């Protein structure tokens, strides 16, 4: 039996981007309408839209909005407007690899129009169409990637057991079923009896607000826990696997993900619990050699002192609020990607898989395990 219909966190509707405002969830389902790339960048900054793969999709549509709003009548002027939009979108949140990946891919599609010809149409119009089509492709490909990740990752989970996850990695964070959450939901749909420990994920509470909401809709048994419960759960043998997503994966397999992921990986290694990272290939950044070279976003300290806008700490308290941390590759049991499951050492296998076409994923293309 299938569960409730999937959510559409972003949707291209009549030339605007309709964005489900995730800050309001689970209390209310409200939508924003983005008409310009600046609107999209702002929705990304305030985390109305979030989650690495979905940020890539939103940014790609942000480029489509830039193309639509531009009055440029020639190729050079339109490319100039698109270049400005690319910088605005890239600057919105620095850690998620998918934003840069998506806007660069859309720019490449725009440039291809001039090389390949326009079938007699005005060049700017042909570019506008090509960009909207490319954004749509990025969204569709992510849906297929989630399916592949879910299928491959679910095989790694036990027939029955407890899985711990952090942050939100479901349909609200991607173009499909999700990454880490896709693995969990696919295992559940395959009949595995999985119970999920959902980290609440301070300070923005993506676990408590979003993952709990999504898993309820999928009817996956789950229990919400404070982030600091992971140690005691693992010590008591009550976690069989940890599955998380990723915001950026470096060439050596180091992973940036939601703050708190690193300490989970350390705990998992200490207790001999497998630690899986699930992400599409679009999150892998082979130009970044390792975690030290990654830019980690620091957010407004008020997210910590005034969580969800509620003043908690004494007036004037200073707070440090990195949005992500880096988990070194040596703490990761396997990377579950849409192109295969990769075991350490990650570097050589990542490079080999990167050489394969980045076109739509075919089932027959995907090896269950990629040899190092
Ligand atoms: O700050 P967020 O909510 O955008 O952080 C999201 C995460 O860290 C996710 O784990 C990651 O983007 C993977 S989403 C499929």
């Amino acid at each position: 039996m299938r569960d409730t219909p999937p959510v559409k966190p972003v949707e291209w509707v009549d030339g605007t981007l309709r964005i489900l405002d995730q800050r309001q969830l689970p209390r209310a389902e409200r939508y924003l309408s983005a008409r310009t790339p600046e609107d999209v960048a702002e929705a990304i900054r305030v985390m109305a839209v979030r989650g690495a793969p979905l940020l890539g999709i939103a940014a790609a549509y942000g480029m489509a909005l830039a193309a639509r709003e531009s009055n440029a009548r020639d190729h050079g002027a339109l490319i100039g407007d698109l270049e400005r939009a690319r910088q605005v979108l890239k600057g919105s949140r620095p850690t998620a690899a998918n934003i840069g990946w998506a806007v660069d891919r859309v720019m490449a599609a725009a440039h291809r129009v001039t090389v390949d010809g326009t079938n007699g149409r005005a060049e700017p119009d042909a570019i506008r169409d090509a960009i909207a089509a490319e954004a749509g492709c990025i969204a569709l490909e992510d849906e297929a990637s989630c399916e592949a990740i879910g299928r491959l990752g679910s095989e790694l989970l036990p027939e029955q057991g407890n899985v711990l996850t952090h942050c939100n990695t479901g349909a609200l964070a991607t173009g499909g079923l999700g990454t880490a959450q896709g693995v969990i939901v696919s295992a559940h749909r395959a009949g595995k009896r999985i119970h999920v420990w959902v980290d609440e994920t301070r300070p923005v509470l993506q676990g408590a607000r979003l993952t709990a909401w999504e898993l309820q809709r999928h009817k996956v048994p789950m229990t919400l826990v404070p982030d600091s419960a992971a140690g005691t759960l693992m010590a008591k043998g009550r976690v069989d696997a940890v599955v998380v997503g990723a915001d950026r994966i470096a060439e050596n397999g180091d992973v940036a993900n939601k703050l708190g992921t690193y300490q989970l990986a350390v705990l998992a290694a200490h207790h001999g619990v497998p630690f899986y990272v699930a992400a599409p290939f679009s999150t892998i950044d082979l130009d970044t050699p390792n975690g030290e070279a990654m830019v980690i976003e620091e957010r407004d300290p008020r997210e910590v002192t005034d969580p969800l806008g509620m003043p908690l700490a004494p007036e004037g308290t200073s707070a440090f609020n990195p949005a992500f941390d880096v988990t070194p590759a040596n703490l990761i049991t396997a990377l579950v990607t849409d192109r295969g499951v990769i075991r350490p050492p990650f570097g050589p296998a990542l490079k080999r898989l990167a050489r394969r076409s980045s076109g739509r994923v075919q089932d027959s293309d995907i090896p269950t395990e990629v040899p190092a």
Side-chain angles (χ1 to χ4, degrees):
M1 184 189 71
R2 276 290 148 105
D3 29 52
T4 45
V7 279
K8 284 213 161 130
V10 299
E11 196 173 5
W12 184 248
V13 183
D14 296 335
T16 64
L17 189 64
R18 188 172 183 257
I19 296 174
L20 173 60
D21 186 348
Q22 299 192 26
R23 293 167 302 174
Q24 316 270 345
L25 289 172
R27 294 176 309 282
E29 276 180 54
R30 298 219 176 89
Y31 292 84
L32 308 171
S33 196
R35 294 192 164 76
T36 66
E38 288 76 16
D39 290 347
V40 176
E42 182 59 13
I44 290 174
R45 256 190 301 274
V46 300
M47 292 172 64
V49 59
R50 44 147 303 282
L54 186 67
L55 290 176
I57 294 167
Y61 280 120
M63 295 292 285
L65 291 171
R68 275 181 75 92
E69 74 162 359
S70 166
N71 295 321
R73 291 179 179 214
D74 63 68
H75 161 255
L78 182 52
I79 292 290
D81 288 342
L82 289 172
E83 194 50 58
R84 275 185 288 281
R86 163 153 71 168
Q87 296 314 325
V88 167
L89 290 159
K90 269 192 173 176
S92 58
R93 287 190 82 186
T95 308
N98 296 65
I99 297 179
W101 170 83
V103 295
D104 289 352
R105 185 171 149 175
V106 165
M107 271 316 265
H111 282 293
R112 268 200 308 274
V113 169
T114 62
V115 174
D116 299 346
T118 57
N119 285 336
R121 305 191 53 227
E123 213 171 65
D125 285 342
I127 292 176
R128 286 182 184 100
D129 291 350
I131 288 181
E134 192 71 7
C137 266
I138 287 173
L140 278 176
E141 284 177 20
D142 195 62
E143 188 178 354
S145 293
C146 287
E147 240 183 270
I149 289 168
R151 188 165 37 76
L152 295 173
S154 67
E155 289 170 18
L156 302 175
L157 297 187
E159 285 303 316
Q160 172 176 355
N162 294 294
V163 173
L164 187 142
T165 194
H166 193 63
C167 198
N168 172 263
T169 60
L172 289 168
T174 63
L177 190 57
T179 55
Q181 194 173 297
V183 168
I184 291 167
V185 174
S186 301
H188 170 77
R189 287 181 176 169
K192 293 191 172 183
R193 285 185 290 149
I194 301 293
H195 162 267
V196 188
W197 301 112
V198 177
D199 269 0
E200 56 180 355
T201 318
R202 292 205 166 218
V204 180
L205 297 166
Q206 291 94 327
R209 295 185 304 106
L210 309 177
T211 302
W213 184 72
E214 290 196 290
L215 290 179
Q216 261 182 8
R217 289 166 61 103
H218 289 298
K219 300 181 173 54
V220 176
M222 54 123 189
T223 307
L224 182 65
V225 288
D227 298 340
S228 40
T232 193
L233 286 172
M234 287 193 211
K236 288 183 191 310
R238 299 182 70 189
V239 180
D240 298 298
V242 177
V243 192
V244 296
D247 280 79
R248 188 178 294 262
I249 300 177
E251 188 192 15
N252 71 341
D254 288 354
V255 167
N257 191 49
K258 179 53 56 192
L259 185 73
T261 302
Y262 170 51
Q263 62 202 35
L264 288 176
V266 172
L267 280 169
H270 180 74
H271 292 288
V273 173
F275 185 91
Y276 300 117
V277 174
F281 226 79
S282 48
T283 304
I284 293 163
D285 170 14
L286 294 177
D287 294 331
T288 295
N290 52 45
E292 266 180 51
M294 293 181 190
V295 177
I296 300 297
E297 174 188 4
E298 277 188 38
R299 294 189 60 82
D300 190 334
R302 281 175 300 182
E303 287 182 351
V304 181
T305 57
D306 302 22
L308 305 182
M310 184 176 59
L312 205 75
E315 187 83 28
T317 302
S318 67
F320 173 50
N321 188 19
F324 306 101
D325 58 25
V326 174
T327 299
N330 66 354
L331 295 178
I332 298 168
T333 309
L335 297 174
V336 184
T337 80
D338 46 351
R339 298 190 197 176
V341 173
I342 307 172
R343 305 267 176 184
F346 297 118
L350 284 176
K351 277 200 208 85
R352 197 145 22 83
L353 282 189
R355 282 197 290 272
R356 293 172 39 180
S357 126
S358 59
R360 224 189 134 105
V361 181
Q362 302 290 325
D363 271 9
S364 54
D365 282 350
I366 303 171
T368 309
E369 292 273 341
V370 179

